[in-house]
Structure formats: C-alpha cells, structure tokens
Amino acid sequence: MNGKRVGRLVSGTLLLALAAPVVAMADDQALQKQVDELTKAVRMLEEKQAQQKKVEELTRKVDRLEEKSLSRWLTIGGDYRFRIDSLRGETKAYTDVNNTFANAQNQMNSAFLSNPTLYGPQVAAFQAFSNQMRQTTTYAGAMAFLRNNQQMMGGLQSFAQTVPSYKPQNDTLYTNRLGLNIHAKATKDVSVNIRLLAYKTFGSQDDSAVTNSGSTPFFADRTGVFDGTLGHVPSTSLLDVDRAYATWSNIADQPVWFSVGRRPSTGGAPSNLRTNDERPGNGGTPALLVDYAFDGMTLGWAPDIESLPGSYAKICYGRGFESGFENPGNSIKDTDMLGVAIIPIDTDPLRVWLQWDRGFNIFDFPTMSNTAFGNTAPSVNLGSIDWYGVGALSTIKDVGPGKLNFFGDAGVSITHPNNSVSANAGFQGLLTGSPFQPEAPTDKTGWAAYVGVRYDYTPTRTKLGFEYNHGSKNWITFTPAADDLWTSKLGTRGNVYETYLIQELNLKPVSSYLSKVFFRLGYQYYDFEYTGSNNWVGAPQKISSIKSSDMMLLTPLAKAYDIYGTFEVKF
C-alpha cells in the first residue's frame, strides 16, 4: 500500500467519524417530530372524546328536560269568533196547535171559576180528554181516540188560535263563541282529544234569540238546546264539553285504531271550506248526513294500498238518547246510531267518501228545558231511519294565481216508521200524518244534493266561495248542530243558496303554524218548498198549499235570509 492510498483511507475514516453525529442528530429530529405529531393526535383525540362525552351528557339532559316538558305530550289550541247576523223571514198563516189547546184550557178554567156548577162537567171532560190523549201512542189507538171524541175535537175549533203571516226579523244578532282544543299523548299509541265550547248571544244567557223568543219556533232543531246541539246553538257562557275521546292506534302493530268518547261528529267535510277550517281527519263525518254531538265509539282500519293512497274504513256507533231503567212506567228504548264509512282515497288533491248510517228507535222530542212547549223529553220511539251518502272534495293548484276547491255530495234517507205515534205532536209519526190527522205507517224516501266551490287567491289571501243545496219533500238528515242560525241548511226541504268571502290577514303565526286571523262575510237565502225541514215528526206539507186553518206545531217559514259577518282567530 503506497502513501497516497493510506492517506485517502485515513481521510475517509476521519470524514465518516465527523459525519456520524450529524446523521444521528437528523434521525433524532425526525423521530421527535413523529413523537410530537402522535402526541398532538392523541391530545386531539382525547379532547374530541371529552367533547363527545359533554355532547352526550348535554343530550341526556335535553332528553330528560323534554320528557318533563309539557309540549312533548300536551298541545293546547283553539279559536274565538265574533259574529253578527241580520235575519229576515216570511211566514205563512196557520193555526197554532199548542196555543189552541192552551186557549181552550184557559177559557174553560176561567168559566169554571165563574160558575163551577155549570162548567164543572165541561172542564172534567176536557181534562179526561187530555189525559186519554197523552196515553194514546199507536196509530190504531189514535184513530179510535179521534172516532170516540169527534164532538170534543169539533169543539176545539171554537178555540182555534190562527196566526197571520208575518215577517220575523232581527237586524243585529251578536254572538261570541270560544273553543279550546286539548291534545294529550298519554302513552305510546294512546292519546286523548278534548274540545270545549262556549257559545252565547250578547246580552243573554239563554237560547231565546234563535228559538223565536218564546213564541212558536220555526224549526225543530232550533226549538231549544239539547245534548246533540250543546255548544253549537247560542245559549249560555258555560264552557261545555263538545268532544272528549281517547284513541288507541297501531293496535297489535297493525293499521287499526279504536276510539271512544264524545265523538268528533260535527263540522265534517265539506263544510270546512266555508268555515275556513282544516280538512277533518279520519274521525270526521260527512256534513250532509251527520252534524250531531254524539257519544260513541269507532273501530277503524287504514291499509297501505298503493293504488288507493290514504284509504281507510271505519265502523261507528253512537248513542243519541239514554232511556234509563226499564220499569212499568218507562217503555222508551235507547236511541242508537250505527254507521259504516269507506274512504277509498284521501289525499290533498282528492278525497272521496261513501257512508251508510242507521238510526234505531228514533225518539219524538229530545230532552230540552224551557221551550215554547215547556220541558220536553222523549215519550215514544217512532221507528228507524237509513241514510246513504257519497261525495268527493277536490283541490286543483295553480289555477291562475291561486287554487280551486270544489265538491259534490249526495244523500238518500229512508224512514221506517213503526205503529207508534206521538201524542205530544198530535198523533204524528215518523214522517207520517199531521196534527190530529194520523197516517198509517209507510216507508218514505228522500234525497239531497250539496255542491260548492271556493277559489283561494293566494297573493292577497282572499277566498271566495259559493254553495247550493237542495232537499226533496221527504228528505231528513241528522244535522241539528250545523253552524247555521235559522236552521241547518243541509236539512232544508227546498233550496239554499250561500255565497261568502274570507279575507285572511297577512300576519306571522306565533302559537302554531295553523294560527290565522280572518274576516268572513256571507249571505244565505232559504227557499222552503215543504214544511218540516230538519224534523222527522210528521209528514211534510207543500208550503204554497198551507191554509190559515191548517193546524201546525211549528211556524211555517216560506223564505229566510241571513247576512252575516265574522271576525275569527285560530290559535
């Protein structure tokens, strides 16, 4: 090995020796950087886990607070309405049965007091006549009674109280109505719904403003307030229970529900259009057939059928009158209702309904207090009634700057009278006979049609509507709780025309997304063709044929007019 090679080797060794610490230092720095990055990642992970724990803890606290929160299980809403009506009508001359008997009784009593010896036998005979009449409850018995008392019936003509035709009017009838709605979720799949109503006239705590102020009423459904109309006819400021029912849904994890209580059987479709209410849910009933505050129950089924969206069916039962204990002095039976509803489609653009109802053991008079006929109560069962209905409600969007709502509804009623007659109604039966002219029981069929349209002009929140309904001679429905003051328009035997304008205010909802404030202005015109609208007691008589000598229980109205305005708040 020469000297140059030895020198190069020594130099290389020295260079390697000098470079070793530099390389080691570089490796240590890279390792330290990795350690620092890992430490930072660990800290970030720990911080994230800590934050996650905090989030989970906060979530648990929120859940606990929500469990205790009223809004989780309880919803409260309602509505207030101020209404003004200007009412006018035209009656026909007739003979008032009730006042005729009262006049005979009063004159005989006066005569007896002036000369008991002379008039005593007449008073006793009239008293026996009245007692025997009250005990007569069959068609055959009524015919026999009239044959045996021809002289007394003829003598009544001398006491006849003929009422000339007149034009009843009330220029300004003010009413207040307050409704409170409560929805409570009790447990999973079980809820309770309650609606309380107070409805009264200004300056009054009774129903006299709509029952002809103590004089003979115009219509059976506006003779007084009873269980089926409580809260729907102006009376007192008491807050009455209009609805109170419990619903159990998803029974056995199936689309089946059961509901029981005071039913949502008022304000059904399509009447919600003119009242500016939301479309009724699956608890509602068609307004043409039923608008009556019932106590009862429903069993429903809502299958998921792709070709029939929203379809459901239900069986409904209700009790219209509870007769109490059967005993020797009480032979009245309970009045019950049974209904089957099939809704093959229920969507926003289209809703279709089919309905059958039957009323069993229909009574003659409901239980009412302080009426023109005194205190009334069912005294006899007159038979049964079948109802059939079919209808549809549709909405077409983007019709100009708004949307178009329209509907059509048709109904048929068939009465099935038994052999009973009502002595309190002068031996009239279920759509049979007239006062003291009984008619053999025969089934009678009536029909009705109800159509309407409403255009919603979106830019100004204005809604303009028109409705028309017609009822035939023998049409009878079960709608005394309808939101009409003269009488339920859908029970009219004749024609009713109504137009209305709704103007909603452009105000931001606060209490609920459904909250709204609006004014409503409307006009109703009734053109009655037959007597007895909304009354199943007695046979209809053509209005144009009524003579002043015709005996009637109710004042026959030929025409009626109602101009109304409201201010309403939904909350």
Side-chain angles (χ1 to χ4, degrees):
M1 182 180 297
N2 57 33
K4 289 182 178 181
R5 290 183 178 180
V6 173
R8 290 185 186 132
L9 182 59
V10 172
S11 298
T13 302
L14 289 173
L15 287 172
L16 288 172
L18 291 171
V22 175
V23 173
M25 184 179 296
D27 291 340
D28 288 344
Q29 289 177 347
L31 181 61
Q32 186 61 44
K33 184 178 180 181
Q34 292 177 1
V35 170
D36 292 342
E37 289 177 350
L38 288 173
T39 302
K40 184 178 180 181
V42 170
R43 288 176 180 173
M44 290 177 64
L45 181 61
E46 290 175 345
E47 290 176 358
K48 187 175 181 180
Q49 290 176 341
Q51 289 176 354
Q52 184 64 33
K53 290 181 179 179
K54 289 181 179 180
V55 170
E56 292 175 355
E57 181 62 28
L58 288 173
T59 302
R60 285 193 292 270
K61 289 182 179 180
V62 170
D63 290 341
R64 287 194 294 268
L65 289 174
E66 286 182 346
E67 289 176 359
K68 297 178 181 179
S69 173
L70 285 176
S71 61
R72 181 176 179 271
W73 63 273
L74 183 66
T75 304
I76 298 177
D79 53 89
Y80 166 78
R81 183 181 78 185
F82 162 73
R83 176 166 172 156
I84 176 174
D85 290 81
S86 181
L87 303 158
R88 282 176 168 75
E90 301 174 19
T91 74
K92 300 284 287 186
Y94 74 106
T95 296
D96 191 306
V97 173
N98 198 45
N99 286 338
T100 295
F101 268 81
N103 183 44
Q105 184 72 60
N106 292 335
Q107 290 199 33
M108 287 186 181
N109 289 340
S110 298
F112 174 78
L113 291 176
S114 65
N115 193 332
T117 303
L118 179 62
Y119 293 104
Q122 295 183 20
V123 172
F126 185 77
Q127 188 64 46
F129 168 84
S130 299
N131 290 338
Q132 185 183 356
M133 185 178 72
R134 282 194 292 268
Q135 296 171 7
T136 302
T137 59
T138 66
Y139 168 71
M143 295 299 291
F145 173 85
L146 293 172
R147 284 195 303 268
N148 297 333
N149 290 276
Q150 292 182 25
Q151 184 177 357
M152 183 68 74
M153 291 300 301
L156 277 175
Q157 297 301 319
S158 61
F159 300 101
Q161 293 292 288
T162 300
V163 181
S165 62
Y166 67 100
K167 296 182 178 181
Q169 67 179 61
N170 188 339
D171 291 333
T172 54
L173 174 61
Y174 300 120
T175 57
N176 272 325
R177 192 187 70 184
L178 172 66
L180 292 178
N181 303 324
I182 302 172
H183 175 75
K185 298 177 182 178
T187 65
K188 181 184 178 182
D189 298 330
V190 176
S191 63
V192 175
N193 287 278
I194 299 170
R195 178 166 171 79
L196 308 177
L197 270 179
Y199 190 15
K200 71 178 295 291
T201 57
F202 278 33
S204 176
Q205 287 287 341
D206 58 35
D207 55 19
S208 60
V210 293
T211 58
N212 207 13
S213 304
S215 298
T216 302
F218 304 106
F219 300 100
D221 63 339
R222 297 297 180 264
T223 296
V225 174
F226 56 96
D227 183 62
T229 63
L230 198 63
H232 295 273
V233 174
S235 54
T236 74
S237 57
L238 295 177
L239 202 59
D240 297 307
V241 177
D242 177 44
R243 300 174 184 177
Y245 59 95
T247 302
W248 177 20
S249 304
N250 301 316
I251 299 175
D253 292 326
Q254 298 297 315
V256 176
W257 77 91
F258 172 74
S259 185
V260 62
R262 193 153 176 86
R263 309 302 302 149
S265 51
T266 57
S271 66
N272 58 294
L273 285 182
R274 69 177 176 128
T275 56
N276 203 27
D277 289 322
E278 299 301 313
R279 185 183 295 186
N282 57 21
T285 56
L288 183 61
L289 300 187
V290 177
D291 203 325
Y292 191 107
F294 269 112
D295 301 292
M297 58 195 73
T298 293
L299 180 64
W301 176 53
D304 185 9
I305 303 175
E306 185 176 353
S307 59
L308 298 174
S311 62
Y312 64 92
K314 60 182 180 178
I315 300 175
C316 306
Y317 164 81
R319 173 147 294 175
F321 170 68
E322 167 58 51
S323 62
F325 290 109
E326 293 183 11
N327 56 59
N330 179 25
S331 60
I332 305 298
K333 297 180 180 179
D334 299 333
T335 298
D336 293 324
M337 293 283 291
L338 181 66
V340 176
I342 299 175
I343 291 75
I345 183 170
D346 189 4
T347 63
D348 288 338
L350 179 63
R351 185 176 195 264
V352 177
W353 58 88
L354 306 169
Q355 184 85 18
W356 167 78
D357 299 316
R358 181 162 195 154
F360 300 87
N361 303 316
I362 301 295
F363 50 73
D364 54 350
F365 286 83
T367 301
M368 299 180 289
S369 300
N370 302 318
T371 75
F373 307 106
N375 295 337
T376 68
S379 64
V380 67
N381 299 116
L382 299 177
S384 60
I385 306 176
D386 281 310
W387 290 277
Y388 302 87
V390 57
L393 170 65
S394 183
T395 300
I396 302 177
K397 297 181 179 179
D398 300 323
V399 178
K403 62 181 180 180
L404 185 67
N405 308 275
F406 58 97
F407 65 84
D409 204 357
V412 172
S413 63
I414 305 174
T415 56
H416 309 289
N418 55 28
N419 289 314
S420 298
V421 294
S422 172
N424 293 331
F427 303 140
Q428 297 180 95
L430 183 61
L431 230 58
T432 62
S434 57
F436 302 106
Q437 295 183 15
E439 175 189 348
T442 55
D443 291 6
K444 295 183 179 180
T445 300
W447 64 272
Y450 178 31
V451 294
V453 61
R454 191 186 79 187
Y455 182 72
D456 301 350
Y457 185 66
T458 306
T460 60
R461 296 175 179 257
T462 304
K463 303 175 182 180
L464 180 63
F466 173 79
E467 296 185 357
Y468 167 77
N469 63 275
H470 173 82
S472 71
K473 175 182 177 179
N474 293 313
W475 167 246
I476 182 62
T477 185
F478 224 64
T479 61
D483 193 23
D484 305 300
L485 287 183
W486 272 115
T487 185
S488 169
K489 74 173 190 175
L490 296 181
T492 297
R493 292 169 183 158
N495 307 289
V496 182
Y497 306 84
E498 180 172 6
T499 185
Y500 59 88
L501 174 71
I502 298 170
Q503 181 58 62
E504 294 187 359
L505 302 185
N506 189 14
L507 302 174
K508 181 181 178 181
V510 175
S511 61
S512 165
Y513 74 95
L514 295 176
S515 297
K516 55 188 173 184
V517 180
F518 60 91
F519 292 91
R520 184 160 57 107
L521 179 66
Y523 172 71
Q524 287 182 326
Y525 166 53
Y526 292 78
D527 178 20
F528 299 98
E529 296 180 349
Y530 293 90
T531 62
S533 294
N534 291 296
N535 188 10
W536 53 75
V537 179
Q541 182 176 341
K542 197 168 182 61
I543 293 289
S544 60
S545 68
I546 295 175
K547 301 183 295 292
S548 61
S549 59
D550 291 340
M551 301 185 74
M552 295 188 176
L553 280 178
L554 298 170
T555 303
L557 204 64
K559 298 183 185 300
Y561 316 87
D562 184 6
I563 301 173
Y564 63 86
T566 72
F567 171 67
E568 305 188 46
V569 181
K570 309 283 187 180
F571 59 90

